[in-house]
Amino acid sequence: MAAVVALTGGFAGTPAVGTADDPDLTRFYQQQLSWESCGHDVKNGAQSQGTAQPPGYSERLECARLEVPRDYAHPGRSTMLVQLIRLKATGPGKRLGSLVLNPGGPGASGVNYLIDSGSAFARLGQQYDIVSFDPRGTGHTEPVSCGDKLAPPPGSAADDSLAAKEKRINEACGRYSGGLLPWIGTPNVARDMDVLRAAVRDDKLNYLGFSYGTKLGAVYAHEFPDKVGRMVLDSVEDPTKNTWQTALAQARGFQRALDDFAADCTHDAGCPLGTDGNRAEDQLRHWYEQLSDTPMKVKGETVDETTYVYALREALYRRSDWPTLRQALAQLRRGDGAGILRLSDSGGSSAGRAPVRHIGQDELPPQDQLALRAISCRDTSERYGADDYARAQRELTRASPLFGPDIAPTLLDCDGWPAPGDDTSRDVAAPDAPPVLLVATTNDPATPYEGALNMARALDNSSIVLTFRGEGHAAYTTGDTCVQRYVDGFLLHGTMPKPHTSCG
């Protein structure tokens, strides 16, 4: 998902950025990539829930490994291998080099994303090699590990509070991945992308990033302004907000999107929320309370209030999913939670999202959520604990009675995290970089529209905001032909839209 509360930062004491001119980094910048058919372990890792790919698509994918320093301050000490994937350009016309994709997260696998969703970039793929990768700590690039199962809490009187469990998760991550955790995070991934740029023999980085990928692109522009080529950032994170402020903004954003869905639904006589707009939210909250008190069982799986909220949130990423949500709510009204369960498990079909999983008291979150936690905690100095949680619940519940309580626990993710964090990558100023195209949706629930305006000001390089007047997240992949025309025009021909251009 567009990480619910995932703001980025850097590593305290980070040295000056290395470049190809740095003798200690020369071998990394001059390495030759060995592209070959992707192995079954790579292909089988994908969600297989994206857009259906054309026949023969899988056979066209190539994989390679990129060697990068673990610590850019001491590149000779230790290295890691970044998993890459490529779809070579198909058209007869002029090649434009490589276009690097990042689907968001943080924690999402760029390799899986290209396997599942590559046909969404078919026009761009006529002239670009489409390249993606698993950022360090994710997917097939030294994934964060926290063991198989949580150890029981110490002492005879087990503390089963949420805050206590979060600390147990973080302690486990420190035991299993303590040597990795200081070296992941956005600034180092941006440096890896510059090594990738050189390894594919491009003078400039051409880049398309979604959600968290917009922050990664902005950090790259800040660190390597003279290496920025044609860069598009879609569904833009707000660099001016800290983690707490981002949580509040997302709670309000999802609430606005739910209100829009309810208003649209109640105009129809068959709406499962009824036809009275004032009572629609009461009905939505009634189902939440009902599932909290009495969860349902569907084919052996639990459908409770967490499943319900995740299903709502998943459907609000794309307006095209609203009819599916209506059907699921109609089923729920009849006492059947199957539609809600299907929606809650449909994450991963879009940029940077993963299906919800019920986490027992002794169970760990899935790997992509652990990676999200590791990157987010590495990228912020904020550490909220049990004393902050009650305030977070109050503020976020006021912002959204349904989504606020679901978002509030994420603020505990970094309590007792075993690696330090800082906020350096919130500085994305890139006045010497060429203008970037920012794509922002007016009713984006996960990355509210004003974030793009704040990002444009923070970049300070005359970047343009293309406004999509509509609903959802990741406008380019929603199928709006106007947005796609402007984005393709910029990436293929270098034609930037005029200021204040809008679609939808």
Side-chain angles (χ1 to χ4, degrees):
M1 50 181 281
V4 175
V5 191
L7 197 64
T8 58
F11 181 48
T14 299
V17 175
T19 70
D21 299 326
D22 184 340
D24 291 334
L25 295 174
T26 299
R27 75 179 184 90
F28 299 103
Y29 274 85
Q30 293 182 351
Q31 67 186 286
Q32 299 280 340
L33 295 175
S34 298
W35 294 99
E36 56 188 28
S37 178
C38 298
H40 290 294
D41 61 327
V42 172
K43 290 183 179 179
N44 292 341
Q47 296 285 344
S48 298
Q49 293 175 330
T51 307
Q53 306 307 312
Y57 174 84
S58 180
E59 287 68 31
R60 292 172 49 214
L61 293 168
E62 298 176 312
C63 287
R65 302 279 268 177
L66 177 78
E67 187 179 13
V68 297
R70 183 176 296 264
D71 174 7
Y72 276 87
H74 302 96
R77 290 183 179 174
S78 178
T79 65
M80 63 173 63
L81 296 175
V82 176
Q83 180 67 58
L84 310 179
I85 191 167
R86 176 175 74 174
L87 191 65
K88 291 202 72 172
T90 58
K94 177 184 176 183
R95 278 193 69 255
L96 296 174
S98 296
L99 177 67
V100 176
L101 299 180
N102 182 276
S109 166
V111 171
N112 291 355
Y113 181 64
L114 189 58
I115 291 172
D116 280 346
S117 306
S119 64
F121 309 100
R123 289 184 301 277
L124 297 170
Q126 292 179 19
Q127 292 179 258
Y128 282 107
D129 292 341
I130 306 297
V131 176
S132 196
F133 66 102
D134 287 347
R136 49 175 73 196
T138 74
H140 296 272
T141 303
E142 293 203 22
V144 172
S145 173
C146 304
D148 297 323
K149 201 159 188 150
L150 281 177
S156 56
D159 183 354
D160 61 355
S161 69
L162 176 63
K165 181 178 180 182
E166 295 299 319
K167 283 192 172 182
R168 289 167 61 208
I169 291 172
N170 293 347
E171 289 167 358
C173 295
R175 284 196 301 274
Y176 284 89
S177 295
L180 169 67
L181 299 180
W183 311 115
I184 61 176
T186 307
N188 276 329
V189 176
R191 293 166 191 170
D192 294 344
M193 284 207 304
D194 198 54
V195 177
L196 169 59
R197 172 199 60 76
V200 296
R201 304 296 181 255
D202 282 349
D203 293 331
K204 307 282 185 180
L205 177 75
N206 301 308
Y207 178 80
L208 174 55
F210 300 95
S211 197
Y212 162 81
T214 65
K215 188 64 176 289
L216 177 58
V219 170
Y220 180 90
H222 174 73
E223 294 189 351
F224 302 96
D226 60 328
K227 297 300 182 183
V228 175
R230 297 171 185 175
M231 180 175 286
V232 177
L233 308 180
D234 184 348
S235 298
V236 185
E237 284 202 4
D238 190 336
T240 68
K241 285 182 166 57
N242 64 20
T243 307
W244 193 289
Q245 293 163 338
T246 298
L248 280 170
Q250 288 185 335
R252 293 174 183 134
F254 279 104
Q255 186 61 50
R256 280 196 302 268
L258 185 63
D259 292 344
D260 289 345
F261 162 78
D264 179 77
C265 181
T266 54
H267 286 144
D268 183 80
C271 176
L273 302 175
T275 56
D276 184 345
N278 294 323
R279 299 184 62 183
E281 186 166 334
D282 292 338
Q283 179 61 66
L284 288 164
R285 291 175 68 176
H286 170 72
W287 282 323
Y288 177 89
E289 293 162 359
Q290 191 175 51
L291 289 170
S292 178
D293 293 337
T294 312
M296 295 179 177
K297 285 290 185 180
V298 177
K299 296 181 179 178
E301 294 199 50
T302 300
V303 177
D304 60 9
E305 76 281 9
T306 301
T307 320
Y308 173 70
V309 169
Y310 201 96
L312 294 177
R313 194 169 69 201
E314 180 64 27
L316 296 176
Y317 275 97
R318 297 167 67 99
R319 188 184 179 101
S320 59
D321 286 337
W322 285 12
T324 305
L325 178 57
R326 286 184 53 164
Q327 293 172 6
L329 293 176
Q331 284 181 275
L332 187 62
R333 195 177 190 100
R334 298 192 298 267
D336 180 1
I340 293 296
L341 182 63
R342 280 194 299 272
L343 262 178
S344 74
D345 278 346
S346 65
S349 59
S350 297
R353 307 211 297 288
V356 70
R357 291 289 180 264
H358 293 279
I359 310 302
Q361 187 61 25
D362 296 325
E363 294 179 319
L364 287 158
Q367 198 282 324
D368 53 359
Q369 292 181 24
L370 292 172
L372 183 154
R373 178 186 300 235
I375 295 167
S376 300
C377 294
R378 182 64 197 82
D379 286 358
T380 181
S381 63
E382 295 166 87
R383 298 291 187 262
Y384 300 112
D387 293 342
D388 304 294
Y389 185 51
R391 179 166 69 93
Q393 284 187 306
R394 288 194 303 272
E395 290 188 15
L396 288 164
T397 301
R398 281 199 299 269
S400 172
L402 281 177
F403 298 109
D406 181 60
I407 294 174
T410 64
L411 290 173
L412 294 174
D413 281 358
C414 301
D415 186 20
W417 186 249
D422 67 59
D423 306 301
T424 56
S425 70
R426 288 179 59 193
D427 180 5
V428 295
D432 297 326
V436 171
L437 177 57
L438 308 174
V439 183
T441 301
T442 52
N443 292 328
D444 185 329
T447 51
Y449 177 79
E450 58 270 17
L453 305 180
N454 290 336
M455 177 66 84
R457 285 189 286 267
L459 287 168
D460 191 25
N461 65 344
S462 302
S463 290
I464 297 295
V465 176
L466 171 64
T467 299
F468 174 50
R469 301 187 183 282
E471 312 282 344
H473 189 62
Y476 183 83
T477 59
T478 62
D480 183 79
T481 56
C482 174
V483 170
Q484 291 174 345
R485 184 172 68 251
Y486 281 115
V487 170
D488 291 351
F490 177 61
L491 289 174
L492 294 174
H493 309 295
T495 305
M496 180 71 80
K498 293 179 181 179
H500 312 299
T501 298
S502 65
C503 295

